[in-house]
Amino acid sequence: MPDAEAVLRSTRVITPEGTRAASVTVADGTITAVLPYDAPVPDGARLEDLGDDVLLPGLVDTHVHVNDPGRAEWEGFWTATRAAAAGGVTTLIDMPLNSLPPTTTVDHLRAKRRAAAGRAHVDVGFWGGALPDNVEDLRPLHEAGVFGFKAFLSPSGVDEFPHLDRERLARSLTGIAAFDGLLIVHAEDPRHLDAAPRRGGPKYADFLASRPRDAENTAIAHLVDQAKRLGARVHVLHLSSSDALPVIAAAKADGVRVTAETCPHYLTLTAEEVPDGAGAFKCCPPIREAANRAPLWRALADGTVDCVVTDHSPSTADLKTDDFSTAWGGISGLQLGLPVVWTEARGRGHGLEDVVRWMSARTARLAGLDARKGAIAPGRDADFAVLAPDEAFTVDPAALQHRNRVTAYAGRTLYGVVKSTWLRGERILADGGFTEPKGRLLTRSP
């Protein structure tokens, strides 16, 4: 028998080989074996019988804005990681902007790690930032353990994180390619944004017109061309325009090292249903028309789009005004990503195995964490979410854990209740109650 301190038994365990009844043994925070359901419990091990609830690998969310330090009134590590645990997320990677200072130098990374130390309920890693003037900081940040570098191709919305024009994109990407790093990109072309109609006010249709698909399509095509020319690794963040899918698919077929993500709000919400004046729905790129959704789902199914992440980007409630031109852009979805995606996926004929692939296995691979995260398999961290997939609930903002309880999903009925969350074999959430923070601060593996 393998070493075991605990055994988690379920009639439905999602493994890389499929879903089956199994007993999962855990020792020293690591999965030691996945055994038949009725395997005897090793001497001295405690049994956690989960019945028919589904045992999933903990989700890995590689796109989260924690905003701490500097804008902790928007969000902080304590509240963000509680929201993550409540949503079955056991690992998150924090974005470099909206904190002060942004994570653009090694000293700034140290400030970020100090802010997170002792306050993380789940494991946390960090992206670095690529700015017009910090090319010399990129390799030191890489060596300090960031998982890659985020860049904007259009204004970010905060002055301390300026975007890269085409010349500076090429310069940064050349530097990052030299050490085989990863550049993750907010891809909207500023020329198309500048040419789009701009009307302030509460009408969502006016805001949507100000962020046209062509802005995404053009920026993604240029990014792909640069990645091909330089042999670089690039990742398209929060893809909303399905028109860009053929460019990404062709690049992958041509051997370009490009990956792409989309988000729960693009997969489940539509422009037609966004109420005028509802600032909680504003994000950039925007939630697009209903006809845009089905191609995104098909692209997930065929691998053109690799993964689904929340892009949890909260703010204080007062910034979510009824004027779409001035409201802060960002959807707060960290706690709800799993049930939001699962509710829509089950209606489209997808199974939980697909959701795990999009939200755990492939996100772990994107961050280079797939040796430890993203699967229930021997040698991986014993990070789990226990889900009742057929149990429904109605989203009540008062039950959310993120700091400012604004959500675009308020009042929606969703399927999939997270019953408990486990980090390295220890239960960190059960029945709405949290343990003291047990998360670690992660660095990129060599």
Side-chain angles (χ1 to χ4, degrees):
M1 293 293 294
D3 292 338
E5 299 163 356
V7 177
L8 283 74
R9 177 178 289 168
S10 169
T11 60
R12 293 182 287 179
V13 178
I14 297 183
T15 74
E17 293 75 35
T19 302
R20 61 188 176 97
S23 291
V24 180
T25 61
V26 175
D28 296 324
T30 300
I31 299 168
T32 54
V34 181
L35 302 174
Y37 178 80
D38 56 359
V41 177
D43 290 342
R46 72 181 189 278
L47 174 65
E48 300 283 348
D49 194 331
L50 306 174
D52 294 330
D53 289 340
V54 181
L55 187 65
L56 316 175
L59 303 190
V60 179
D61 193 338
T62 54
H63 196 148
V64 179
H65 295 267
V66 179
N67 306 333
D68 194 6
R71 289 191 176 99
E73 70 275 14
W74 294 15
E75 188 67 284
F77 284 101
W78 182 273
T79 49
T81 57
R82 282 169 68 98
V89 175
T90 53
T91 303
L92 65 83
I93 312 295
D94 174 59
M95 283 291 167
L97 75 157
N98 300 342
S99 57
L100 294 169
T103 317
T104 52
T105 70
V106 172
D107 283 344
H108 293 177
L109 174 63
R110 293 190 186 110
K112 177 75 77 168
R113 293 176 66 86
R114 286 194 298 270
R119 300 170 61 211
H121 292 268
V122 302
D123 286 353
V124 174
F126 305 98
W127 297 109
L131 303 184
D133 61 356
N134 81 327
V135 173
E136 298 303 317
D137 292 298
L138 300 179
R139 184 182 287 272
L141 276 165
H142 176 76
E143 293 172 351
V146 300
F147 286 84
F149 302 91
K150 180 173 186 176
F152 280 76
L153 303 188
S154 57
S156 72
V158 290
D159 292 341
E160 67 275 3
F161 205 97
H163 69 285
L164 302 180
D165 61 21
R166 291 193 169 196
E167 178 184 348
R168 288 177 172 85
L169 169 65
R171 188 184 308 164
S172 293
L173 196 52
T174 298
I176 292 168
F179 50 79
D180 200 32
L182 173 66
L183 184 69
I184 63 175
V185 180
H186 180 125
E188 289 181 286
D189 187 275
R191 295 170 299 178
H192 286 275
L193 297 179
D194 289 343
R198 292 176 179 265
R199 301 184 184 93
K203 290 188 176 181
Y204 187 74
D206 289 342
F207 169 65
L208 183 61
S210 75
R211 314 291 297 208
R213 295 187 191 203
D214 281 350
E216 274 193 270
N217 305 338
T218 299
I220 289 169
H222 179 70
L223 178 66
V224 165
D225 286 345
Q226 292 299 301
K228 182 177 182 179
R229 181 177 70 85
L230 297 170
R233 292 195 296 142
V234 296
H235 177 72
V236 177
L237 296 168
H238 44 48
L239 175 71
S240 79
S241 172
S242 61
D243 294 346
L245 293 170
V247 171
I248 296 170
K252 288 187 170 191
D254 200 29
V256 180
R257 297 198 293 170
V258 58
T259 51
E261 67 186 36
T262 192
C263 302
H265 37 282
Y266 302 132
L267 295 168
T268 63
L269 304 177
T270 66
E272 291 87 345
E273 67 184 313
V274 176
D276 287 343
F281 290 82
K282 179 181 176 179
C283 57
C284 298
I287 296 163
R288 301 196 185 276
E289 301 85 351
N292 190 67
R293 283 193 305 178
L296 291 177
W297 280 99
R298 288 194 295 270
L300 275 171
D302 68 22
T304 301
V305 173
D306 298 84
C307 53
V308 180
V309 297
T310 63
D311 188 10
H312 178 74
S313 186
S315 69
T316 53
D318 61 294
L319 296 179
K320 284 295 198 178
T321 68
D322 61 3
D323 184 336
F324 278 107
S325 68
T326 59
W328 178 256
I331 303 287
S332 297
L334 188 53
Q335 183 170 336
L336 298 173
L338 174 56
V340 165
V341 173
W342 168 234
T343 299
E344 186 75 16
R346 74 202 299 265
R348 292 176 178 270
H350 295 287
L352 273 171
E353 292 177 10
D354 298 318
V355 175
V356 165
R357 182 169 64 254
W358 301 327
M359 302 185 78
S360 186
R362 287 184 178 169
T363 46
R365 184 189 309 163
L366 173 69
L369 289 170
D370 47 326
R372 300 295 306 179
K373 309 286 187 181
I376 296 178
R380 307 288 182 104
D381 288 350
D383 298 348
F384 308 114
V386 178
L387 186 74
D390 301 317
E391 189 172 329
F393 69 100
T394 300
V395 176
D396 176 5
L400 300 177
Q401 297 295 325
H402 62 268
R403 178 154 295 165
N404 296 282
R405 295 173 178 178
V406 176
T407 175
Y409 304 109
R412 294 176 76 95
T413 298
L414 302 176
Y415 285 91
V417 173
V418 175
K419 295 291 190 178
S420 63
T421 305
W422 301 66
L423 187 67
R424 284 183 298 278
E426 294 190 52
R427 186 162 28 204
I428 59 172
L429 168 80
D431 301 321
F434 296 86
T435 64
E436 288 300 305
K438 299 181 183 297
R440 295 177 181 172
L441 304 186
L442 305 176
T443 58
R444 176 192 50 79
S445 299

